[in-house]
Amino acid sequence: MGTTQLESVPEPKYWHLKTVLGEALDTDFSVGEILPNERELAARFGVARATLRQALEQLELEGRLQRRRGVGTTVAPPRVGVDVSTTQAQWPGSGEEAWNPVDCTLVVPPAAVARLLDPDRGADEPVHTVRRLRMTHGQAVAAEQLYVPARSVPDLTAIDAPSGAARARGVLRELQRLTLEGQDRAVELGSARADDAKELDRLPGAPVLLVTTRYLTDGRTAAVSVATYRADTCRLTFGDAGDFGIAS
Amino acid sequence: MGTTQLESVPEPKYWHLKTVLGEALDTDFSVGEILPNERELAARFGVARATLRQALEQLELEGRLQRRRGVGTTVAPPRVGVDVSTTQAQWPGSGEEAWNPVDCTLVVPPAAVARLLDPDRGADEPVHTVRRLRMTHGQAVAAEQLYVPARSVPDLTAIDAPSGAARARGVLRELQRLTLEGQDRAVELGSARADDAKELDRLPGAPVLLVTTRYLTDGRTAAVSVATYRADTCRLTFGDAGDFGIAS
DNA sequence: GAGTGGTCTAGACCACCAT
DNA sequence: TGGTGGTCTAGACCACTCA
C-alpha cells in the first residue's frame, strides 16, 4: 500500500506545521516579506485557523516571524544582540549607553522589588522611580524601571523639576556620586505589563526577558533596576567579543 | 445606575482573568496546592475553556503555575536561581558544577552552530558532540549540547569508549588541557526541541532560555555550547551575590 | 476507568491599519 | 471600507496519570 509510515506517536498538527513553515521561511521567503494571511494559510494546509495560529505563535516566539494586527505576518530579521554585560561595574546612565531617560516619579515599589531594597526601609515608603527606554536603530528594545531609595540620593535638590526627564537625569547624576561596590544581575522570562507593552510596540502579555539588576554600595542595595527586553527581537549578550547567537 | 465603569478600551477577558487568578494565587493558595480543573474554573468564571487556558498559559509563562497532563494544575514554587556567570573563565566540566555528562557522539553541527565554529573548517565535517544535563535538587533544569571540533582535542585517544558518558568525560578532560582565552555568552528565548523537552520533562515547544557560549583559545573558537534552560522554573543569575530575582 | 490537561474544529465578532 | 490579526465560543476527541 502507498501509505506513508504510520507514526506510533503522532506529533501534533501544529508542531508538524511549524516545522514545514519554518523550512518554507528558509527557502521561499526573504526578510521582511509578507506571508499569506492566516485564513488562507489555514485553508492551504487544511487545518483550522486556531491550529495554524498555534504554529505561527511558536515561530514568533522563536523570533522568526513578526505579526502586526491590521497589517499582516512578516518574516522577521535575525535578532539583534544587545549587550548587557557587567564586566566593569558602572552606574546606570554613565558611559553613554543607548538608554534614554523619560520620566521620574515617586512610587511605592512592588513587593518583589521592595524585598531587594534596603531591608530597614519603611515598607510603604515611596522611592524615586526613573523610567528609561533603550533604543536601537530607532526602535525601543527595552523599557526599564529604576528604583532609587531617597537615602541613595540625599542631595537631590528641589531645584530639579518635580518629575519628567529632567528630574530623571538629576537622579542618575546623584547616583553616580556614590561608590559602586558591585552589581548582581538575573535574567528570566516574563510577560509584558500593559505600560511596557505599549512602549515596546507589543501587545500586553507578549513574552519578554526580565533583567533585574541590584546595585550595591556601602554594604547595601543602593538601587534596583528591572529592565524589560522584547524577547522576540532581542538576544542578550554577555562577555568580551559580542556579536553572535543561535536562532532556535 | 449600578453598572460598573464602562471601559473605553476594554481589556481582553483572558487578561483580566489572569490578573484575578494571579491575585487569588497570592491570597488563597500555597505552593504545591492543586487548583480546580480547567473545566470547573472556566465554568466558575463564566468563560470558555479556551479563554481560561489563555490565562493559565500566561501564568505558567511567568512561572506561577505548573501544569501536568493527567495530573492537574499546581501552584509553582518560586523560580530557582541558576548561576551562569562567567566571572572567571573556565572550561566546561572543571570546578565541579552540577553538570552531568551523558553521551558523546559525532554529528554535523547545525548551520547556526557551524557559523560560530572555526571558519576554515569543512562545512559538513562532523564534530564531537557532548551531551550534558544540569541537575538541581534532583531535577534536570538544563540540557546542553557541546560542540567540539576535532582539532580542539587532537590527543583524544581511541582508548576511550567510542560513545557514551565515558567518552564525554574524555573529551572534557582533553578540552581542559587547552588555554582558555575568553568566552562569549548570549541569552535568548526559544522553544524546546523534542529531545530537550523529553529530558527536561516538558512538552515539545515549551518556552526555554537558550544560553549560547563560545569558548575562545588561540584566536579561534575551540568549542560552542548551546544550553537549554527551562524558562518556567529557572532564573539565570550573573554576578557576585546571587540569590534574588523578580517574579513577573 | 475516571479524571486531567493537550489538541483541534468551525464558526463569530472585535480592534486595528491602510486606502 | 475592506482586510488583517486578536479574542472568544461550545463543542469534540486524544494522551496521559493514577488509583
Side-chain angles (χ1 to χ4, degrees):
Chain A
M1 313 264 290
T3 64
T4 60
Q5 177 173 356
L6 187 60
E7 300 273 359
S8 59
V9 179
E11 58 184 0
K13 275 190 190 178
Y14 78 91
W15 185 258
H16 179 240
L17 208 47
K18 180 200 137 183
T19 308
V20 172
L21 280 170
E23 287 166 1
L25 290 184
D26 291 332
T27 63
D28 302 344
F29 292 88
S30 50
V31 169
E33 202 172 343
I34 192 166
L35 267 63
N37 71 54
E38 296 183 351
R39 289 162 179 88
E40 177 171 342
L41 277 179
R44 189 178 299 184
F45 287 102
V47 299
R49 190 176 156 220
T51 304
L52 185 267
R53 278 179 60 82
Q54 231 176 321
L56 294 183
E57 267 150 33
Q58 286 247 349
L59 289 168
E60 192 179 28
L61 197 76
E62 294 173 11
R64 308 204 45 189
L65 287 181
Q66 205 161 336
R67 300 194 287 173
R68 271 175 303 170
R69 170 156 48 178
V71 178
T73 301
T74 55
V75 181
R79 285 180 172 144
V80 298
V82 291
D83 183 30
V84 292
S85 61
T86 55
T87 42
Q88 71 276 35
Q90 60 176 15
W91 289 108
S94 54
E96 254 3 271
E97 310 146 327
W99 287 101
N100 185 19
V102 171
D103 196 7
C104 179
T105 56
L106 276 175
V107 305
V108 175
V113 172
R115 271 198 301 275
L116 301 181
L117 290 171
D118 215 354
D120 53 336
R121 203 183 49 85
D124 291 342
E125 191 181 330
V127 302
H128 300 291
T129 303
V130 175
R131 180 97 177 140
R132 299 194 299 166
L133 291 180
R134 181 165 183 165
M135 309 298 293
T136 299
H137 308 119
Q139 287 278 329
V141 293
E144 180 199 49
Q145 204 89 19
L146 178 68
Y147 300 92
V148 183
R151 71 150 65 165
S152 293
V153 286
D155 296 336
L156 188 66
T157 66
I159 296 176
D160 288 308
S163 68
R167 186 172 185 83
R169 281 187 290 270
V171 169
L172 293 176
R173 194 189 325 120
E174 287 300 311
L175 257 190
Q176 285 157 31
R177 297 174 52 182
L178 299 177
T179 309
L180 181 57
E181 286 178 349
Q183 49 188 337
D184 283 337
R185 193 155 281 187
V187 177
E188 62 190 310
L189 179 59
S191 55
R193 299 196 332 260
D195 55 347
D196 291 328
K198 188 166 190 178
E199 300 197 278
L200 298 178
D201 192 27
R202 301 258 62 198
L203 290 177
V208 293
L209 296 172
L210 290 180
V211 181
T212 309
T213 310
R214 198 162 47 146
Y215 295 93
L216 304 174
T217 191
D218 200 19
R220 57 188 182 81
T221 304
V224 167
S225 150
V226 180
T228 300
Y229 285 81
R230 284 184 60 152
D232 56 342
T233 58
C234 290
R235 191 181 64 247
L236 308 183
T237 64
F238 302 80
D240 327 302
D243 209 17
F244 72 102
I246 299 275
S248 165
Chain B
M1 313 262 291
T3 65
T4 61
Q5 177 172 355
L6 185 61
E7 300 273 0
S8 59
V9 180
E11 58 184 1
K13 275 190 189 179
Y14 78 89
W15 185 258
H16 179 240
L17 207 48
K18 179 200 138 185
T19 309
V20 172
L21 280 170
E23 288 166 0
L25 291 184
D26 290 332
T27 63
D28 302 344
F29 291 88
S30 49
V31 169
E33 201 172 343
I34 192 165
L35 268 62
N37 71 55
E38 296 183 350
R39 290 162 179 86
E40 177 171 340
L41 278 178
R44 189 179 299 185
F45 286 104
V47 299
R49 189 174 156 222
T51 304
L52 172 76
R53 278 179 60 82
Q54 231 176 321
L56 295 183
E57 266 150 33
Q58 286 249 348
L59 289 168
E60 192 179 28
L61 198 76
E62 295 174 12
R64 309 204 44 189
L65 287 182
Q66 206 160 336
R67 300 193 288 173
R68 272 175 303 171
R69 170 156 48 178
V71 178
T73 302
T74 54
V75 181
R79 284 180 172 144
V80 297
V82 291
D83 184 30
V84 292
S85 61
T86 56
T87 43
Q88 72 275 36
Q90 60 176 15
W91 289 108
S94 53
E96 257 0 272
E97 312 147 326
W99 286 102
N100 186 18
V102 170
D103 197 5
C104 180
T105 56
L106 276 175
V107 305
V108 176
V113 171
R115 272 197 300 278
L116 301 180
L117 289 172
D118 214 355
D120 53 337
R121 201 183 51 86
D124 291 342
E125 191 181 329
V127 301
H128 299 292
T129 303
V130 175
R131 180 99 177 138
R132 297 194 300 165
L133 291 180
R134 181 164 183 166
M135 310 298 293
T136 299
H137 308 120
Q139 286 278 327
V141 293
E144 182 200 47
Q145 203 89 18
L146 178 68
Y147 300 92
V148 183
R151 71 148 65 164
S152 293
V153 286
D155 297 335
L156 188 65
T157 66
I159 297 177
D160 289 309
S163 67
R167 186 171 185 81
R169 281 187 290 268
V171 170
L172 293 175
R173 195 188 325 121
E174 287 300 311
L175 258 189
Q176 285 156 32
R177 296 173 54 183
L178 298 177
T179 309
L180 180 57
E181 286 177 351
Q183 48 188 338
D184 283 336
R185 192 154 282 186
V187 177
E188 62 191 308
L189 180 59
S191 54
R193 299 194 334 259
D195 54 348
D196 291 328
K198 189 166 187 177
E199 300 197 280
L200 298 178
D201 192 27
R202 301 258 62 199
L203 289 178
V208 293
L209 296 171
L210 290 180
V211 180
T212 308
T213 309
R214 196 162 51 145
Y215 296 92
L216 304 174
T217 190
D218 199 18
R220 58 188 182 82
T221 303
V224 167
S225 150
V226 180
T228 300
Y229 285 81
R230 285 185 60 153
D232 55 342
T233 57
C234 290
R235 192 181 62 247
L236 308 183
T237 64
F238 301 80
D240 327 301
D243 210 17
F244 71 103
I246 300 276
S248 166

